[in-house]
Coordinates of all heavy atoms in Angstrom, one line a residue:
Chain U
S17 N 21.7 9.5 26.7 CA 22.6 8.4 26.3 C 21.8 7.2 25.8 O 20.7 7.0 26.3 CB 23.5 8.0 27.5 OG 24.3 9.1 27.9
E18 N 22.4 6.5 24.9 CA 21.7 5.3 24.4 C 21.5 4.4 25.6 O 22.3 4.1 26.4 CB 22.6 4.6 23.4 CG 21.8 3.5 22.6 CD 22.6 3.0 21.4 OE1 23.8 3.3 21.3 OE2 22.0 2.4 20.5
G19 N 20.2 3.8 25.6 CA 19.8 2.9 26.7 C 19.2 3.6 27.9 O 18.5 3.0 28.7
A20 N 19.3 5.0 27.9 CA 18.6 5.7 29.0 C 17.2 5.9 28.7 O 16.7 5.8 27.5 CB 19.3 7.1 29.2
S21 N 16.4 6.3 29.7 CA 15.0 6.6 29.5 C 14.8 8.0 29.0 O 15.7 8.8 29.1 CB 14.2 6.4 30.8 OG 14.7 7.3 31.8
L22 N 13.6 8.2 28.4 CA 13.3 9.5 27.7 C 12.0 10.0 28.1 O 11.0 9.2 28.2 CB 13.4 9.3 26.2 CG 12.9 10.5 25.3 CD1 13.9 11.6 25.4 CD2 12.7 10.0 23.9
E23 N 11.8 11.3 28.3 CA 10.5 11.9 28.4 C 10.6 13.2 27.7 O 11.4 14.1 28.1 CB 10.1 12.1 29.9 CG 8.7 12.7 30.0 CD 8.1 12.7 31.4 OE1 8.9 12.7 32.4 OE2 6.9 12.6 31.5
L24 N 9.7 13.4 26.7 CA 9.6 14.7 26.0 C 8.3 15.3 26.5 O 7.2 14.7 26.4 CB 9.6 14.5 24.5 CG 10.8 13.8 23.9 CD1 10.7 13.7 22.4 CD2 12.1 14.5 24.3
R25 N 8.4 16.6 26.8 CA 7.2 17.3 27.4 C 6.4 18.0 26.3 O 6.9 18.5 25.3 CB 7.7 18.3 28.4 CG 8.4 17.7 29.6 CD 8.7 18.7 30.7 NE 9.8 19.6 30.2 CZ 10.1 20.8 30.8 NH1 9.3 21.2 31.8 NH2 11.1 21.5 30.3
C26 N 5.1 18.0 26.6 CA 4.1 18.7 25.7 C 3.0 19.2 26.6 O 2.3 18.4 27.3 CB 3.6 17.7 24.6 SG 2.2 18.4 23.7
N27 N 2.7 20.5 26.4 CA 1.5 21.1 27.1 C 0.6 21.7 26.0 O 1.2 22.3 25.1 CB 2.0 22.1 28.1 CG 2.7 21.5 29.3 OD1 3.9 21.5 29.3 ND2 1.9 21.0 30.2
Y28 N -0.6 21.6 26.2 CA -1.6 22.1 25.2 C -2.6 23.0 25.8 O -2.8 23.0 27.0 CB -2.3 20.9 24.5 CG -3.3 20.2 25.4 CD1 -4.6 20.7 25.6 CD2 -2.8 19.2 26.2 CE1 -5.4 20.1 26.5 CE2 -3.7 18.5 27.1 CZ -5.0 19.0 27.2 OH -5.8 18.4 28.1
S29 N -3.2 23.8 24.9 CA -4.2 24.7 25.4 C -5.4 24.5 24.5 O -5.3 24.6 23.2 CB -3.8 26.2 25.3 OG -4.9 27.1 25.5
Y30 N -6.5 24.0 25.1 CA -7.7 23.8 24.3 C -8.9 23.7 25.3 O -8.7 23.0 26.3 CB -7.6 22.5 23.5 CG -8.8 22.2 22.7 CD1 -9.2 23.0 21.6 CD2 -9.6 21.0 22.9 CE1 -10.4 22.7 20.9 CE2 -10.7 20.7 22.2 CZ -11.1 21.6 21.2 OH -12.2 21.3 20.5
G31 N -10.0 24.2 25.0 CA -11.1 24.3 25.9 C -11.8 23.0 26.3 O -12.3 22.8 27.4
A32 N -11.9 22.1 25.3 CA -12.6 20.8 25.6 C -11.5 19.7 25.6 O -10.3 19.9 25.6 CB -13.6 20.6 24.5
T33 N -12.0 18.5 25.5 CA -11.1 17.3 25.4 C -10.5 17.3 24.0 O -11.2 17.3 23.0 CB -11.8 16.0 25.7 OG1 -12.4 16.0 27.0 CG2 -10.9 14.8 25.5
P34 N -9.2 17.4 23.9 CA -8.6 17.5 22.6 C -8.2 16.1 22.0 O -8.3 15.1 22.7 CB -7.3 18.2 23.0 CG -6.9 17.7 24.3 CD -8.2 17.4 25.0
Y35 N -7.9 16.2 20.7 CA -7.2 15.0 20.1 C -5.8 15.4 20.2 O -5.4 16.5 19.8 CB -7.7 14.9 18.7 CG -9.1 14.4 18.5 CD1 -9.8 14.6 17.3 CD2 -9.8 13.7 19.5 CE1 -11.1 14.2 17.1 CE2 -11.1 13.2 19.3 CZ -11.7 13.5 18.1 OH -13.0 13.1 17.9
L36 N -4.9 14.4 20.6 CA -3.5 14.7 20.8 C -2.7 13.7 20.0 O -3.0 12.5 19.9 CB -3.2 14.6 22.3 CG -3.8 15.7 23.1 CD1 -3.8 15.3 24.6 CD2 -3.1 17.0 22.9
F37 N -1.5 14.2 19.5 CA -0.7 13.4 18.6 C 0.8 13.6 19.0 O 1.2 14.7 19.4 CB -0.9 13.7 17.1 CG -2.3 13.7 16.7 CD1 -3.1 14.8 16.9 CD2 -2.9 12.6 16.1 CE1 -4.4 14.8 16.5 CE2 -4.2 12.6 15.7 CZ -5.0 13.7 15.8
W38 N 1.6 12.6 18.7 CA 3.0 12.8 18.6 C 3.5 12.2 17.2 O 3.1 11.1 16.8 CB 3.8 12.0 19.7 CG 3.9 12.7 21.0 CD1 3.1 12.6 22.1 CD2 4.8 13.7 21.3 NE1 3.5 13.4 23.1 CE2 4.6 14.1 22.7 CE3 5.9 14.3 20.7 CZ2 5.3 15.1 23.3 CZ3 6.7 15.3 21.3 CH2 6.4 15.7 22.6
Y39 N 4.3 13.1 16.6 CA 4.9 12.7 15.3 C 6.4 12.8 15.4 O 6.9 13.5 16.2 CB 4.4 13.7 14.2 CG 3.0 13.5 13.7 CD1 2.0 14.2 14.3 CD2 2.8 12.7 12.6 CE1 0.7 14.1 13.8 CE2 1.5 12.6 12.0 CZ 0.4 13.3 12.7 OH -0.8 13.2 12.2
V40 N 7.1 12.0 14.6 CA 8.5 12.0 14.6 C 9.0 12.3 13.1 O 8.3 11.9 12.2 CB 9.2 10.7 15.1 CG1 8.7 9.5 14.2 CG2 10.7 10.8 15.1
Q41 N 10.0 13.1 13.0 CA 10.5 13.5 11.7 C 12.0 13.3 11.7 O 12.8 14.0 12.4 CB 10.2 15.0 11.4 CG 10.6 15.5 10.1 CD 10.2 16.9 9.8 OE1 10.2 17.7 10.7 NE2 9.7 17.2 8.6
S42 N 12.5 12.4 10.9 CA 13.9 12.2 10.7 C 14.4 13.3 9.7 O 13.6 13.8 8.9 CB 14.2 10.8 10.1 OG 13.8 9.9 11.1
P43 N 15.7 13.6 9.7 CA 16.3 14.7 8.9 C 15.9 14.5 7.4 O 16.0 13.4 6.8 CB 17.8 14.5 9.0 CG 17.9 13.9 10.4 CD 16.8 13.0 10.6
G44 N 15.3 15.6 6.8 CA 14.9 15.6 5.4 C 13.7 14.7 5.1 O 13.4 14.5 3.9
Q45 N 13.0 14.3 6.1 CA 11.8 13.4 5.9 C 10.5 14.1 6.3 O 10.5 15.1 6.9 CB 12.0 12.1 6.7 CG 13.3 11.3 6.3 CD 13.3 10.9 4.9 OE1 12.3 10.3 4.4 NE2 14.4 11.1 4.2
G46 N 9.4 13.4 5.9 CA 8.1 13.9 6.4 C 7.9 13.4 7.8 O 8.8 12.9 8.5
L47 N 6.6 13.6 8.3 CA 6.3 13.2 9.6 C 5.7 11.9 9.7 O 4.8 11.5 8.9 CB 5.3 14.3 10.2 CG 5.8 15.6 10.8 CD1 6.4 16.4 9.7 CD2 4.8 16.3 11.5
Q48 N 6.1 11.1 10.7 CA 5.5 9.8 10.9 C 4.7 9.8 12.2 O 5.3 10.2 13.3 CB 6.6 8.7 11.0 CG 6.1 7.3 11.2 CD 7.2 6.3 11.3 OE1 8.3 6.6 11.6 NE2 6.8 5.0 11.0
L49 N 3.5 9.3 12.2 CA 2.7 9.3 13.4 C 3.2 8.2 14.4 O 3.4 7.0 14.0 CB 1.2 9.0 13.1 CG 0.3 8.9 14.2 CD1 0.1 10.3 14.9 CD2 -1.1 8.3 13.7
L50 N 3.5 8.6 15.6 CA 4.0 7.7 16.7 C 2.8 7.1 17.4 O 2.7 5.9 17.7 CB 4.9 8.4 17.6 CG 6.3 8.6 17.2 CD1 7.1 9.4 18.2 CD2 7.1 7.4 16.8
L51 N 1.9 8.0 17.8 CA 0.7 7.6 18.6 C -0.3 8.8 18.6 O 0.1 9.9 18.3 CB 1.1 7.2 20.0 CG 2.1 8.1 20.8 CD1 1.3 9.3 21.4 CD2 2.7 7.3 21.9
K52 N -1.5 8.4 19.1 CA -2.5 9.4 19.2 C -3.5 9.1 20.3 O -3.6 7.9 20.7 CB -3.3 9.5 17.9 CG -4.0 8.1 17.5 CD -4.7 8.2 16.1 CE -5.3 6.9 15.8 NZ -5.9 6.9 14.4
Y53 N -4.1 10.1 20.9 CA -5.1 10.0 21.9 C -6.4 10.7 21.4 O -6.4 11.9 21.1 CB -4.6 10.6 23.2 CG -5.7 10.7 24.2 CD1 -6.1 9.5 25.0 CD2 -6.5 11.8 24.5 CE1 -7.1 9.6 25.9 CE2 -7.5 11.9 25.4 CZ -7.8 10.7 26.1 OH -8.8 10.8 27.0
F54 N -7.5 9.9 21.5 CA -8.8 10.5 21.1 C -9.7 10.5 22.4 O -10.3 11.4 22.7 CB -9.5 9.7 20.0 CG -8.9 10.0 18.6 CD1 -9.3 9.3 17.5 CD2 -7.9 10.9 18.5 CE1 -8.8 9.5 16.3 CE2 -7.3 11.2 17.2 CZ -7.8 10.5 16.1
S55 N -9.7 9.3 23.0 CA -10.5 9.2 24.2 C -10.1 7.9 24.9 O -9.3 7.1 24.4 CB -12.0 9.2 23.9 OG -12.3 8.1 23.1
G56 N -10.7 7.6 26.1 CA -10.5 6.3 26.7 C -9.3 6.3 27.6 O -8.9 7.3 28.3
D57 N -8.6 5.2 27.6 CA -7.4 5.0 28.4 C -6.4 6.1 28.2 O -6.0 6.4 27.1 CB -6.7 3.7 28.1 CG -5.7 3.3 29.1 OD1 -5.3 4.1 29.9 OD2 -5.3 2.1 29.1
T58 N -6.0 6.8 29.3 CA -5.1 7.9 29.2 C -3.7 7.6 28.9 O -2.9 8.5 28.6 CB -5.2 8.8 30.4 OG1 -4.8 8.0 31.6 CG2 -6.6 9.4 30.6
L59 N -3.3 6.3 29.0 CA -1.9 5.9 28.7 C -2.0 5.2 27.3 O -2.7 4.2 27.1 CB -1.4 4.9 29.7 CG 0.0 4.4 29.5 CD1 1.0 5.6 29.6 CD2 0.4 3.4 30.5

Side-chain angles (χ1 to χ4, degrees):
Chain U
S17 298
E18 191 170 15
S21 63
L22 170 70
E23 182 169 31
L24 302 182
R25 296 184 290 166
C26 172
N27 293 98
Y28 68 89
S29 174
Y30 180 64
T33 300
Y35 291 157
L36 294 162
F37 308 85
W38 275 99
Y39 285 87
V40 62
Q41 185 177 37
S42 297
Q45 302 298 313
L47 277 70
Q48 181 182 22
L49 179 68
L50 285 176
L51 47 80
K52 60 186 178 184
Y53 172 79
F54 285 175
S55 64
D57 193 345
T58 57
L59 185 62

